[in-house]
Amino acid sequence: MAQKFSEDGAEFAESPDSSRPLAPNRQESLHPTLNPSLTKIPVTPGISLGAYHSDGGGDSPSYFPHNINQRRETTAQSPSDAASGAKSNQEILRRMSLTGGRMRQDSINEIDPRASNESLNLSGGIISATFCIPHSLQYRKGADWGLSSRRGTSALFDSFTYLSSDKTPWNHTLVGWTGEITPADDLTPPDTPPTTTIDPRIRPLNKNSAPIPLDGFAKPVEPSQSEGLFISKEDRATLERQLAHDKNCRTVPVWLSDDSEPGQHGGLVLKDQARWRRFAEHELYTLFHYKQHEPTNGRAERHSWADYYRMNQKFANRILELYKPGDIVMIHDYHLLLLPSMLRQRIPHMYIAFFLHVPFPSSEFLRCLPRRKDVLEGVLGANLIGFQSFSYSRHFVSCCTRILGFPSDVAGVDAYGAKVVVGVFPIGIDAATVEKLAFDAENIDKQVLKLKKMYEGKKIIVGRDRLDTVRGVAQKLMAFERFLELYPEWRDKVVLIQVTSPTSIEEEKEDSSNKIANKVSELVAKINGLYGSLSFSPVQHYPQYLSQTEYLALLRAADIGLITSVRDGMNTTSLEYVVCQRDGHGPLILSEFSGTAGSLKDAIHINPWDLSGVATQLNYALTMSEDKKHAMHQSLYHHVTNRNVQAWSNGFIKRLLVVLNSHNATVATPLLDKALLLTQYRAAKKRLFMFDYDGTLTPIVKDPKSAIPSERVIRTLKALAADHQNAVWIISGRDQDFLQEHLGHIDELGFSAEHGSFMRHPGTKDWINLAEQFDMSWQSEVLDCFKKYTEKTPGSFIERKRCALTWHYRPADPELGAHMARECQKELERTVGKKWDVEVMQGKANLEVRPTFINKGEIAKRLVDDYGVEEGEPPEFTLCLGDDFTDEDMFRALNGSKLKTEHVFTVTVGASNKMTLAHWHLLEPKDVISSVALLNGGNTDVADLGPLAVVEGKIPDQMPGQKIPDELPGGKL
């Protein structure tokens, strides 16, 4: 029977109902007022004592493991509440344990967060998303799956167990990938031979029935990689049932594979399972740890990106199957950076938190990532983003400003009308459980004594790391060599026990030349050759996994813990070492590049690249007085045991609730869902496109005459307009001459110039003047006003159009230009604006005056009316893109039209914190071209394979749509 442990490490008594912790075993002693003669008297009329005793089953079924309302009713709010009605000390302690032993006045938030956050309408459910579930899986066809604990990220898995326990008010569900599934070894002999086993002395009646001799050492033949592993629908259901009843955490698996093909009857074929982690671990993990690849042709990266994108989309689909309004979604680590935005696209009001467990690099490194914008915009879909240390959060907000152009400060990032808050939440460990495991088992005590006897008379330095480049094992060995060189008095008196476990990172596994392992082996041999003897080696290197017993015994036996990682997130070995040194008080030497360094301020911090400095600190730790060691360890121990994984989980959720309460009314405009866009595009027979020009198809430039469309833009528009089912319009504030000169050669395009004053239909050369009946006498007064402010503002100039006048001040001093624009606008509104039916509009570094009835919204209405709105008539797909406030008229017109909401995509373009009527956003003109190329070819080099792979269920062999040949010499852009 499983045992329950409290946060302070006390072992609770076993009970048939293991869902609730009980008080520690002790002799029962009743308070006089709790005598059964007094307490076993029902005091409520009509209710017997039996009504107060729950059988734990409940009549009403619940989707989640426990009911939040029951918890609030049965949880003690204060010590007096705990004692009220209790029949024994056990019962009092049991009630108090439900609040973690803290009887605070603000405990209502922990008991039922819904009561203290009524405006959020919380459901009480939390859905956690992590890349892999806590189990490694073995597939047994037609039988229960083999489940074993997955190595690594133990602190994170402990947090899931805690959130799923009765110590929290939350109904918790974990969503994660199955990980690489391996088939079980079917050749394992049974314990009892079957009765049909033939005695080898008896000759069989039929020689064909004779046993076939097998090589007992030969491995079973594995299916080829091309065949893959087939998992039937029934076996998938079996695993899902097993995980749903997991004793630690209700788990829902995400199945990653190409979409099922006909004839598979709902089954899956798993091929190249490692590909789902390839982009994250080849591109993101390495860059986040300040490592760069040699440049390649990019083909492999595009395919791995498509798998990464599709994997995040499958996570989003799985979460949405479970999600209920009011649920909190908590997303973990770099494998799922796109997931916050994907969920925000589907449910704009969802409560989302994201936590990054690895370092986040500076903008100089992140700029090297081709998908840098996608990664940043993906994670900005969260309400709260958590990091291990302040430097990581500072790098993140800096990247959002320098790469995306979003305003930011130390508190967060302003992204499309909403504040995305960032915070620092150093993760902890389940310290009470670690301490109990380390000190309450006799076999560990024996192991500790055995280790101390083995190295009697010597100081033991312990290191335990994964064998990859960021853990600094080579630096540790070189520093130890330097230590023995500088301090010869310690030779033969100190031993370094270094345990290296295999790396879990895909790229490090594929190190064909095994450079890291070879370097470590060479250093170990060198040190032992220089400073060892036949009877003693100063470095004991064990490249293997340790059992839990061996590991904890090693940490207890150590005199010094040495961690020299060159770039790390939260190193939990350092935290476990502090707990295991409860009695020994051994100093901890910790790399300043570890995410733990900011939390463990009383550890001895070192720079692993400074070998002499590390050697000096080793000598300092070895010669430290007992009082000093005790004081240092006492501070570290207090931190680790109080800032444990339970406190981390509670703190992160509390911070999210504060953020949600302060920003509950704001909703960010989500990133354009390209997969949804492509799906609707393919389903439609007639499609309408409306593009603004400046800031949408081309970047904003100082000189408006320099905003010339690139060959990439022209080629993409040609491919789009060449499809007879597409009606493509450019709706711009530019005049006719400019549009005619640069885009007029594309006969299939339609044009609207000067914000709707003129129109040219596709296939014609004639312009229609929609403002010819309007009196333009107002222009002379506006021109005089503009001339006056042009003289006051050096660098500004006037642009004359047929139906509008524009004053540009982008080349002028920014502050002076903005000030003069405000003054000019006030003057025009007082004079011309009252005499004529015109409007004065503030644009991007310009001021424009035009007739009131002329705007882009009227053109949008006209185009929709031309195509019809009846059922079955076009447009069945409408895409409208623009970047400034004049384009809001189009968004307003389309939002108010009779078109189906799912058929209309209004997209604002540009990096700002503006409020908009558009339903989606894109960052810059380059993203507009990428999205259009995805729909109908044009430029396949810039189209995103990720959304296409989501729609088609696999990575396509080629891009769809009409291909337009390159128009530059050499065939390359």
Side-chain angles (χ1 to χ4, degrees), residues 473-481 496 520 523-524 527 539:
V473 178
Q475 285 82 353
K476 182 185 301 184
L477 292 170
M478 289 188 286
F480 185 65
E481 179 187 2
L496 171 62
V520 168
L523 286 169
V524 170
I527 296 170
V539 178

Side-chain angles (χ1 to χ4, degrees), residues 43 90 191 245 267 282 356 447 450 473 617 719-720 743 857 962:
V43 294
Q90 267 194 332
D191 294 333
H245 294 87
H282 277 239
L356 186 68
Q447 288 267 15
K450 186 176 180 181
V473 178
Q617 294 300 335
L720 191 67
L743 295 173
Q962 180 173 349

Side-chain angles (χ1 to χ4, degrees), residues 790-811:
T790 301
E791 293 176 359
K792 294 181 179 181
T793 314
S796 64
F797 63 93
I798 301 170
E799 180 185 4
R800 301 191 64 170
K801 305 173 184 177
R802 286 186 175 87
C803 295
L805 286 172
T806 307
W807 180 61
H808 295 273
Y809 58 89
R810 186 176 297 277

Side-chain angles (χ1 to χ4, degrees), residues 711 715 941 964-973:
E711 286 294 332
R715 190 169 62 170
D941 291 333
I964 304 298
D966 297 318
E967 297 185 354
L968 292 183
K972 294 291 182 182
L973 290 178

